[in-house]
Amino acid sequence: MLKGKRVLITGGTGSLGKVLTKRILSGEIGVPDKLTILSRDEAKQHFMRVEYENSMAATDEIIYSNFKRLLEFRIGDVRDFHSVASAVKDADVVFSAAALKQVPTCEYFPFEAVRTNIAGPENLVRAIQEHGLDVETVVGISTDKACKPVNVMGMTKAIQERVFIQGNMRCPKTRFVCVRYGNVLASRGSVIPLFHKQIQSGGPVTVTTSDMTRFLLSLNQAVDVIFAALANANPGETYIPRVPSARMTDLAAVLIGDRDIEVKITGIRPGEKIHEILVSEEESFMTEDRGEYYSIAPILPEVLGGREITRALETEYSSRDSIMTREELHSLLEGYGLLVEQQTGNGEGELLR
């Protein structure tokens, strides 16, 4: 899919962007001619560049020997049209991962979320449209919080999805598709690193409400969704993974194990949901079965193009519906090396790897 292509990742120095970069450079879907990372954080770019430069030997995961030919870093901000236009002008495929994603932060700085999560994607579509660029595909990275949003982060991501879907009308030579998924295990700013830190400090482990549930998937599973959409999605479709979910109290209990650590209920934070939804009841009418994924067809008839929809869901797809047992959750976390060892001689626990 990417063999010989020129690829751009916006927000490529984030948790997802780094794993996406690694997977692309592995050559599993074809080795691109160029992979460009666009972000505004020079420090993260520096450390990411050094990481690749210090890995000189090719492995079965990363084609390090091609690093200098393949990988390019660009400082720029998706909020700035000229940064985006300059970066995308030679791209064949774009992965739009730049975002403000912390829910409370977006509540306190809502217009900053608008500028990154809405104006950024609009700049991308506008650059392709106004400059007549030959971009083949744009994959917009969204979130379960965009479905029936109750917080600023979700609201801005919901509009991001619509900007990309409508982009198929503005740029008919380019295919715009989206992916939407839930909490990524152990990504920067997610709950598992927080629980780890609280456990290693002796507690308490803080949970906002005892009823809270969340979808869980790994960073590599998130990339799998992106690659599936790149390979199979029709213009305007949004790909959804079929993934398990867990109660946050069960997650805390499994990570704590038999340690004598308190779980403290702190109350819901600004903009937080009790349950996450990946497909709303309204969207279920437009949702099709794609094996390991669901696909939501575009809401605009001009983008759908008269295609018949074979409905796969009768109601919404919520994190309250497929909750893992504690035993299943333990196996999942153990498989990803995310459990915390019992205390060592110095009184500290370490992650199992």
Side-chain angles (χ1 to χ4, degrees), residues 57-350:
T59 70
D60 57 358
E61 287 188 304
I62 304 293
I63 306 174
Y64 289 115
S65 57
N66 290 330
F67 160 70
K68 291 184 178 179
R69 176 174 66 86
L70 285 178
L71 197 56
E72 174 186 326
F73 293 89
R74 294 180 65 101
I75 294 292
D77 195 332
V78 294
R79 301 176 178 197
D80 179 69
F81 175 75
H82 300 290
S83 287
V84 174
S86 178
V88 76
K89 65 177 179 161
D90 295 320
D92 299 307
V93 177
V94 180
F95 299 103
S96 177
L100 287 186
K101 64 177 187 176
Q102 292 297 313
V103 169
T105 300
C106 292
E107 292 299 312
Y108 284 106
F109 303 96
F111 192 66
E112 296 302 316
V114 169
R115 294 176 67 197
T116 298
N117 297 350
I118 299 176
E122 167 60 22
N123 282 336
L124 183 55
V125 177
R126 178 186 162 200
I128 296 170
Q129 178 185 24
E130 292 190 1
H131 294 284
L133 302 179
D134 294 323
V135 177
E136 298 170 6
T137 301
V138 174
V139 181
I141 315 300
S142 190
T143 168
D144 51 7
K145 294 171 181 60
C147 186
K148 298 176 75 170
V150 300
N151 51 56
V152 171
M153 197 277 247
M155 293 171 188
T156 55
K157 281 293 197 173
I159 296 177
Q160 172 199 273
E161 291 181 4
R162 300 303 173 89
V163 168
F164 282 139
I165 290 169
Q166 195 268 341
N168 287 283
M169 296 177 62
R170 295 165 60 185
C171 311
K173 293 190 299 181
T174 302
R175 176 184 58 143
F176 292 87
V177 299
C178 293
V179 297
R180 183 196 289 174
Y181 47 75
N183 285 18
V184 176
L185 289 165
S187 65
R188 182 167 42 89
S190 65
V191 70
I192 288 181
L194 172 63
F195 283 177
H196 284 156
K197 184 176 180 180
Q198 291 174 334
I199 291 168
Q200 290 166 343
S201 299
V205 172
T206 57
V207 178
T208 54
T209 176
S210 59
D211 297 326
M212 183 169 291
T213 62
R214 288 293 181 267
F215 291 106
L216 298 177
L217 78 166
S218 70
L219 279 165
N220 276 310
Q221 285 177 302
V223 174
D224 290 341
V225 184
I226 294 168
F227 286 173
L230 177 67
N232 302 308
N234 295 309
E237 288 186 337
T238 301
Y239 259 49
I240 313 288
R242 300 189 185 191
V243 290
S245 57
R247 290 187 182 89
M248 291 300 95
T249 49
D250 289 341
L251 178 62
V254 169
L255 290 174
I256 290 170
D258 58 6
R259 301 172 183 83
D260 184 18
I261 292 177
E262 176 191 4
V263 175
K264 183 178 180 181
I265 304 299
T266 60
I268 294 178
R269 300 180 299 170
E272 198 167 44
K273 282 184 176 180
I274 295 178
H275 306 290
E276 294 289 8
I277 302 170
L278 276 169
V279 180
S280 70
E281 185 174 4
E282 293 77 16
E283 290 172 326
S284 68
F285 293 91
M286 301 290 287
T287 300
E288 296 184 294
D289 184 350
R290 297 291 174 85
E292 297 179 7
Y293 308 96
Y294 291 118
S295 176
I296 304 173
I299 194 171
L300 299 176
E302 295 88 348
V303 180
L304 182 61
R307 185 169 60 84
E308 292 292 328
I309 302 299
T310 303
R311 185 177 178 183
L313 289 172
E314 294 300 320
T315 186
E316 68 183 20
Y317 179 32
S318 167
S319 62
R320 80 177 85 189
D321 297 331
S322 55
I323 298 173
M324 289 181 284
T325 65
R326 289 190 179 182
E327 291 75 19
E328 292 170 333
L329 185 53
H330 185 281
S331 296
L332 178 74
L333 297 177
E334 186 176 42
Y336 289 119
L338 293 174
L339 294 178
V340 183
E341 288 181 332
Q342 294 296 327
Q343 288 189 340
T344 60
N346 61 7
E348 296 180 354
E350 296 180 351

Side-chain angles (χ1 to χ4, degrees), residues 22-34:
K22 182 177 180 179
R23 293 276 298 274
I24 290 172
L25 291 179
S26 76
E28 66 180 89
I29 59 171
V31 180
D33 275 355
K34 176 68 70 174

Side-chain angles (χ1 to χ4, degrees), residues 8-19:
L8 171 68
I9 305 177
T10 71
T13 55
S15 300
L16 173 69
K18 290 168 71 174
V19 175

